[in-house]
Amino acid sequence: MTTMSNGKKLTWLTGTLFWGCIAFSLTLHVVVTIAHDAVRRHGAWAEAFQDFRLHLFAPGYNFFLIGTLNTLPFVLLAIFILFHLGTASQQEPVIVSRRLAGVAGALVIAVGLSAWAHIGTILHPDAQGALIYFFLPIYLMGLIPLGYAVGRLAGTLLFKQPVPPA
Amino acid sequence: MTQKHIWLNLGGLIVLIGMIGLFYWTSTGTRAVPAMTESLKNKDSKVRVAAAQMLADIGPAAKAAVPNLLEQALHDPVEYAGTTAAGALKTIDLAAARQVMTAYLPALNDGDVQARRKACAMLESLGPVAKPAVPALIVALSDVDARIRMHAVGAIGSIGIPATMVIPALTKALHDPSHAVRHRALSQFAFSISLTESVLPHLKELTEDRDLSVAILAKSTLNSPHRQAKDRTSVYVTALQMDIKIADITAALMKDALHKLAQLGPEAAGTVPAVIPVLKDARPLHRYLAAEVLGAIGPGARDAVPALTAALQDEDAVVRESVAEALRAITTAYTSPKTTAPK
């Protein structure tokens, strides 16, 4: 594979991760809520969608607010990815690989924790359960850098600098 | 990725945020009133309920929706849609809410049990605005049907004022032959109505009730530290003077604080300086409740007379009526049950 095609691949990957991150955070609550409602109603997807739309700004539900809160840490992560990977092509391939590993670690934490919190809350409803929607962004802000650090460390161990010929 | 690509993506993100912001702006506040008003005509009752809830949240700015809400409150075949519309009216237009009350009052004497039950539910949803319905609801406490008595207790508790009528009526309901009615009456003292010394012996009696849920609730009500009326007064004043203006939360806290203060009567005399500014609040329900608080305090609210006199020109007829009553009460001797905490 040539250097040029690697650069294009990285550009494509950066753009995909940037917009994918934002799209995931915007749609996670929508998808989980509608899917759960539709399954509960034995496949009535249209009704589930209508219900979701009704409660987008309804007092006591405010799905819009939940979606927005969930989006905040992902938008910050997406901007970080854009600059971190977007400028990586100027670096050595090993640094690019390590950065990719770090970003992968951050994404695993962000996507995993977010999906687990949303699915868990809807499957096991509780009077105080909705509080997770307020605390989740705070947890994510702290855990995403941790995920990056773990990923970067793994990358450093996996991708070694090539030893120059003697 | 070039610098140009990076800034293009960031620009795209800013456009997306702008579009989301625009969607939020057009879907909330007064901008949403026409769409919500249209939704009140939807054939799906869930849509009508959600629309009424959103209009209630918007408050007085949703005045254009009053005719449709009134129609829904008076004629919707689905009871919950009707009660939600009535609940919305009390935050938008008190006179319209009183129209609902007037329409449902005769139904309390209807031969059909369902009609009487629905009337109680509608009056309950109107809350303190349905104050003139209290005497009729007290009569309903003697209904032969236990469900009607239970719903009447709920309605009286939701209205909550005047305490001089509400507390004796609910105290009487604590001895109803039906455990469901006793439990409902006890719930009012546990969660909504200020405890008075006269009620305490009845609560103590209920700790030995043959129904376990009633006995447990009676014990927890008596042991609750939140029954300290004087402590709560300072909490209510804090709620009235909150600097944080988060529309729904602030409005709900203010409404609750004013409602409780109106039940305390002369005991709440120390809160007069905090209540006076509420007479100019944007929400008619708050202005109405502020007048009710001052009226319930009576002569102790003498400092509020100039503000009340100015409030006689209030745009809402129900507020004006309440203000006039308050002025009368302030210049006349007023007695209310002494509020105290259990020992």
Side-chain angles (χ1 to χ4, degrees):
Chain A
M1 201 177 277
T2 63
T3 315
M4 181 69 87
S5 64
N6 269 341
K8 276 188 179 173
K9 207 172 165 184
L10 189 61
T11 301
W12 176 84
L13 184 67
T14 306
T16 306
L17 287 177
F18 175 76
W19 288 109
C21 222
I22 295 162
F24 172 82
S25 63
L26 280 174
T27 53
L28 176 65
H29 190 68
V30 184
V31 171
V32 170
T33 310
I34 292 177
H36 176 259
D37 206 18
V39 170
R40 205 165 46 89
R41 293 169 193 243
H42 307 289
W45 289 90
E47 277 183 37
F49 177 77
Q50 166 83 337
D51 243 28
F52 182 87
R53 198 183 61 80
L54 269 177
H55 295 114
L56 210 48
F57 301 101
Y61 294 90
N62 222 324
F63 290 156
F64 182 86
L65 179 68
I66 294 172
T68 310
L69 284 173
N70 187 56
T71 306
L72 286 174
F74 280 91
V75 166
L76 293 177
L77 177 61
I79 293 170
F80 171 74
I81 289 172
L82 187 65
F83 282 97
H84 199 53
L85 293 184
T87 55
S89 55
Q90 296 151 15
Q91 305 287 332
E92 290 175 41
V94 70
I95 300 294
V96 176
S97 302
R98 287 176 185 174
R99 284 190 181 186
L100 277 170
V103 166
L107 280 172
V108 166
I109 289 282
V111 172
L113 187 66
S114 214
W116 174 75
H118 277 82
I119 296 168
T121 307
I122 213 151
L123 287 181
H124 308 288
D126 179 71
Q128 277 83 40
L131 285 175
I132 189 66
Y133 297 128
F134 291 94
F135 288 111
L136 185 62
I138 300 165
Y139 292 152
L140 284 176
M141 298 284 210
L143 289 170
I144 287 173
L146 188 72
Y148 178 84
V150 172
R152 185 76 192 233
L153 186 68
T156 310
L157 295 172
L158 282 170
F159 308 109
K160 302 281 185 193
Q161 285 279 11
V163 182
Chain B
M1 193 175 255
T2 61
Q3 288 289 321
K4 191 182 161 191
H5 277 125
I6 291 175
W7 290 112
L8 268 175
N9 278 301
L10 270 183
L13 176 63
I14 291 165
V15 170
L16 178 69
I17 292 170
M19 282 166 68
I20 292 171
L22 186 68
F23 173 64
Y24 176 80
W25 189 77
T26 52
S27 308
T28 54
T30 46
R31 279 89 44 197
V33 173
M36 290 301 119
T37 309
E38 201 53 39
S39 296
L40 291 174
K41 297 172 193 160
N42 197 292
K43 61 179 179 180
D44 186 348
S45 65
K46 279 184 297 184
V47 177
R48 300 197 296 275
V49 166
Q53 283 172 337
M54 281 195 66
L55 288 165
D57 214 33
I58 293 166
K63 201 144 192 169
V66 166
N68 295 69
L69 282 169
L70 201 53
E71 172 68 21
Q72 185 168 317
L74 295 176
H75 305 295
D76 201 293
V78 179
E79 188 181 308
Y80 186 47
T83 54
T84 318
L89 281 172
K90 78 171 176 234
T91 69
I92 302 168
D93 185 344
L94 300 186
R98 278 277 169 89
Q99 276 187 56
V100 177
M101 181 199 79
T102 312
Y104 278 98
L105 262 178
L108 284 175
N109 300 315
D110 199 288
D112 178 31
V113 175
Q114 283 306 321
R116 299 206 297 280
R117 196 193 52 72
K118 186 179 178 184
C120 288
M122 293 301 295
L123 294 172
E124 182 176 348
S125 67
L126 290 171
V129 185
K131 181 183 154 190
V134 170
L137 284 163
I138 289 173
V139 174
L141 287 179
S142 305
D143 199 287
V144 286
D145 193 302
R147 284 171 304 169
I148 303 299
R149 298 201 299 277
M150 192 178 79
H151 284 284
V153 164
I156 292 170
S158 168
I159 296 167
I161 50 174
T164 43
M165 290 173 88
V166 165
I167 291 173
L170 292 177
T171 307
K172 187 187 160 203
L174 288 173
H175 299 285
D176 194 277
S178 160
H179 70 89
V181 178
R182 292 200 300 279
H183 192 276
R184 192 80 191 265
L186 191 51
S187 302
Q188 307 308 314
F189 288 114
F191 306 113
S192 351
I193 303 292
S194 302
L195 264 186
T196 63
E197 201 168 355
S198 62
V199 184
L200 299 182
H202 302 273
L203 292 188
K204 280 176 190 153
E205 208 177 301
L206 284 181
T207 58
E208 305 292 328
D209 196 276
R210 57 188 181 278
D211 185 88
L212 194 59
S213 63
V214 172
I216 291 170
L217 185 59
K219 278 177 195 162
S220 68
T221 308
L222 280 169
N223 295 331
S224 169
H226 303 294
R227 309 316 309 180
Q228 298 281 351
K230 281 180 184 166
D231 288 346
R232 278 179 300 157
T233 304
S234 62
V235 171
Y236 301 147
V237 170
T238 309
L240 295 181
Q241 295 173 331
M242 267 177 73
D243 283 335
I244 309 163
K245 297 289 176 197
I246 306 168
D248 346 350
I249 301 171
T250 315
L253 285 174
M254 270 185 85
K255 189 221 140 209
D256 190 50
L258 291 164
H259 199 189
K260 294 278 168 46
L261 287 173
Q263 290 163 13
L264 289 176
E267 292 279 333
T271 66
V272 171
V275 176
I276 291 172
V278 187
L279 288 168
K280 290 179 181 170
D281 194 276
R283 291 185 178 246
L285 182 62
H286 291 175
R287 300 199 300 274
Y288 165 76
L289 283 171
E292 287 295 326
V293 173
L294 296 169
I297 291 170
R302 213 168 291 117
D303 292 349
V305 169
L308 282 168
T309 309
L312 282 170
Q313 309 300 319
D314 196 284
E315 63 188 55
D316 195 294
V318 178
V319 177
R320 289 199 300 273
E321 183 191 303
S322 181
V323 166
E325 270 178 35
L327 280 168
R328 271 197 297 276
I330 290 169
T331 51
T332 317
Y334 181 89
T335 50
S336 109
K338 193 182 175 190
T339 310
T340 183
K343 300 219 166 43

